[in-house]
Amino acid sequence: MDRDQLLMIKDYLNARRKVLPEYVEQDPYHWNSRIYMAKLLQEIGNTQEAYIILRGIYEDNTFRFDKGIHGAYEEYIIEKVKFFQQLAQLSIEVTKEPAQSIPYLDEALIMLDGAESVYPYVDPKDIKLLKKSYLNRLD
């Protein structure tokens, strides 16, 4: 998604009276701002646009650890796993193909592998169950 499209989405959300935090208003191109806008789009039913935004972040690999945003590395892992879960959910809603969601859940599991300190917040078993439910839809 290019800069003009992101500005149009920001304006669209403002027109819908969605309150955008200052960091989104100041830099709507940052990956964290795009995640926030995608969340709002998803809330108002624009799943296609939300999916496009999140998929762009994924493809560009711009979701990175930032001490100013996450503080601790464990918080980054939690947020990135949630990002992968949301992307998997949107993928299955938009594409109607469960197989396209599996790679995102696999990446979440890879992130959780060896990160036991986040287990109270994100349980790998939940991701595995979600993956299993998506795989069952393939049959």
Side-chain angles (χ1 to χ4, degrees):
M1 182 164 284
D2 66 24
R3 290 181 164 293
D4 289 337
Q5 290 171 317
L6 286 171
L7 286 177
M8 285 174 48
I9 288 172
K10 186 181 93 136
D11 292 342
Y12 170 78
L13 291 170
N14 281 327
R16 293 262 187 201
R17 301 204 188 282
K18 294 292 181 181
V19 177
L20 300 176
E22 188 175 333
Y23 72 90
V24 175
E25 291 286 355
Q26 289 178 352
D27 187 6
Y29 315 113
H30 190 274
W31 62 265
N32 198 33
S33 297
R34 290 187 283 162
I35 288 174
Y36 189 88
M37 289 190 292
K39 181 181 142 214
L40 291 179
L41 286 168
Q42 190 175 5
E43 286 175 5
I44 60 176
N46 293 5
T47 54
Q48 177 79 27
E49 291 83 2
Y51 174 69
I52 291 168
I53 290 172
L54 294 185
R55 180 138 173 103
I57 294 168
Y58 172 77
E59 289 174 349
D60 297 341
N61 196 26
T62 54
F63 192 131
R64 304 276 174 114
F65 174 69
D66 183 325
K67 191 171 182 149
I69 294 171
H70 303 107
Y73 192 73
E74 287 81 6
E75 184 66 28
Y76 162 72
I77 292 172
I78 293 166
E79 292 302 316
K80 189 134 186 196
V81 167
K82 288 179 183 177
F83 168 79
F84 284 131
Q85 285 179 290
Q86 184 180 15
L87 187 53
Q89 176 193 356
L90 285 170
S91 175
I92 203 166
E93 287 178 27
V94 171
T95 67
K96 307 292 189 233
E97 296 179 30
Q100 295 209 13
S101 297
I102 303 304
Y104 306 126
L105 299 176
D106 285 339
E107 290 217 32
L109 289 169
I110 290 167
M111 287 211 67
L112 289 171
D113 188 36
E116 285 129 12
S117 62
V118 301
Y119 286 8
Y121 310 103
V122 180
D123 191 346
K125 291 177 188 173
D126 294 338
I127 307 290
K128 289 177 185 176
L129 286 173
L130 186 60
K131 180 180 175 180
K132 186 177 179 179
S133 75
Y134 286 4
L135 287 171
N136 287 338
R137 291 183 184 187
L138 293 174
D139 298 331

